[in-house]
Amino acid sequence: MSDVARRAGVSTKTVSNVLRGAPGASAVTRRRVLEAVAALDYRLNPSASALRSGRRGSITLAIPTLQQPLYAALAQELMRAADDTTVILELTSGEAEREQEILAGSWARRSDAAVLVPRALDPASLLPGEASASPVPLALIADSGPAGVPRVSCPLDAQAALVAAHLRSLGRIRPAVVGVASAADRWTRACVRGLRESGLRVDDDAVLRVGSPDGMLGGVEAVARLAYTGLPVDAVVCHNDALAAGAVSALRRRGVRVPLDVAVIGRGNTDAAAFATPTLTSVDLDLPAMARGALSLLSTGADATGSKDSPAPGPLEPRPVETTPTLSVRGSTVDDAGAAPERRGEPHREQV
């Protein structure tokens, strides 16, 4: 930090303030400091900063909402994996401006690292500098992202393969897909592609994107739209468990028997799936492994420090951490006559 201060012609306190995002420095001073940081390849060590300040360390988890069971479950797993490290929740409401602020390091004044689950921004469209300019570690939990940015994901092709294999084993051939209308969503297209490549028929009009993805209402809306098309479908595959629960409710109100007439599959394997009526077959993304993976990426980033006297290694190019999906088969695809595994205890899991 002293080397950066000398090169920029400012005090070390000013360097610290700029890197922490604290107010007070002029735009010219801030630019000089950041240019010196880039020239010297200096990176702040959050662990050392936390020790010096007496903090135990903290992580910001930025998610769109807690109303989505998938996000709530992820937050719980991250808190469990973080142990005695404080996890600060920041709800972005899925707004692009707030997600962009996270990428710019708005959280740096109150925590040592951050995990962002984007919705309004498509991570693949971000330039590397947009998500790595922050002086402290940032990791994404997203299906795509710019090179060099730490990221955790669950392979979409593997998820689609699990769903396709299960539907084929049940003799289902015409599924509908309920996706979401958000910039970060890549699941919908990947699911449709995977089902079609497996030989199942997914009509264009049977691909429905909803604007309310966090509760049952979106699933109810999707079933109403599907009924309007008049397409004969024998399965509904949903972006998340909340949408799947809504779809089941709407189907049953219309006199459709689940799963005898139409099978329904959710995603996330959350409590919403385990306690729905009937219980929901759901793709398990291994949220505990996602949480551990994000923490491991942040720990790797915290180790990279340097100055001109003790140069840092080259820019980190972390490989994405990938979790392995499984399928928890329950009553929404296997009825009582099929001896649904969850009726006997632990849900049956299918894996590619």
Side-chain angles (χ1 to χ4, degrees):
M1 191 174 291
S2 297
D3 295 331
V4 172
R6 282 194 295 271
R7 187 181 184 98
V10 298
S11 67
T12 55
K13 181 175 178 58
T14 297
V15 174
S16 176
N17 288 340
V18 170
L19 294 183
R20 289 186 297 108
S26 67
V28 173
T29 298
R30 177 178 173 79
R31 184 171 62 252
R32 289 210 311 270
V33 169
L34 294 180
E35 288 174 351
V37 165
L40 297 175
D41 197 20
Y42 174 81
R43 273 163 280 174
L44 191 66
N45 188 323
S47 301
S49 299
L51 287 172
R52 187 179 184 195
S53 65
R55 289 184 293 165
R56 296 176 66 88
S58 60
I59 297 170
T60 290
L61 172 62
I63 55 179
T65 177
L66 282 174
Q67 292 180 318
Q68 168 55 250
L70 185 57
Y71 298 146
L74 176 62
Q76 178 176 316
E77 293 299 339
L78 188 66
M79 290 176 181
R80 182 179 290 119
D83 196 16
D84 61 350
T85 299
T86 300
V87 176
I88 302 171
L89 285 177
E90 179 160 340
L91 305 182
T92 64
S93 300
E95 297 174 358
E97 182 178 356
R98 297 182 68 177
E99 292 180 359
Q100 193 66 58
E101 289 173 354
I102 294 295
L103 292 174
S106 63
W107 44 270
R109 279 176 271 178
R110 60 186 177 276
S111 62
D112 304 304
V115 177
L116 170 63
V117 183
R119 171 180 283 178
L121 296 177
D122 177 9
S125 69
L126 300 175
L127 299 174
E130 291 183 273
S132 61
S134 175
V136 275
L138 169 71
L140 300 175
I141 295 182
D143 294 321
S144 62
V149 178
R151 178 168 56 87
V152 182
S153 64
C154 185
L156 297 176
D157 291 343
Q159 295 179 46
L162 280 173
V163 171
H166 184 55
L167 291 179
R168 287 175 62 87
S169 73
L170 299 173
R172 311 288 175 152
I173 59 174
R174 294 194 65 167
V177 175
V178 180
V180 299
S182 68
D185 172 57
R186 288 178 173 262
W187 175 87
T188 306
R189 183 178 299 176
C191 183
V192 171
R193 181 179 64 247
L195 296 180
R196 286 173 173 168
E197 289 178 351
S198 74
L200 302 180
R201 175 174 175 176
V202 184
D203 295 295
D204 289 342
D205 288 342
V207 180
L208 309 157
R209 292 179 181 266
V210 299
S212 303
D214 297 319
M216 295 176 63
L217 181 61
V220 173
E221 170 199 335
V223 168
R225 289 165 53 188
L226 188 61
Y228 180 78
T229 66
L231 289 172
V233 300
D234 54 17
V236 178
V237 182
C238 298
H239 180 275
N240 59 60
D241 291 338
L243 292 176
V248 168
S249 177
L251 287 167
R252 296 179 74 183
R253 285 203 303 270
R254 291 174 177 271
V256 178
R257 296 169 297 176
V258 177
L260 189 58
D261 299 325
V262 175
V264 178
I265 299 178
R267 178 169 170 263
N269 200 26
T270 62
D271 286 348
F275 296 102
T277 303
T279 53
L280 291 172
T281 292
S282 181
V283 178
D284 191 319
L285 308 179
D286 199 348
L287 297 183
M290 278 192 169
R292 294 192 301 270
L295 292 176
S296 71
L297 290 173
L298 295 178
S299 298
T300 301
D303 290 337
T305 60
S307 68
K308 69 178 181 180
D309 294 326
S310 57
L316 294 174
E317 292 290 342
R319 293 183 178 179
V321 172
E322 293 188 342
T323 63
T324 302
T326 55
L327 188 68
S328 291
V329 179
R330 299 190 178 93
S332 65
T333 60
V334 180
D335 61 17
D336 291 336
E342 80 285 355
R343 310 265 185 206
R344 304 191 297 270
E346 289 296 317
H348 171 64
R349 294 180 182 274
E350 295 182 4
Q351 183 172 334
V352 172

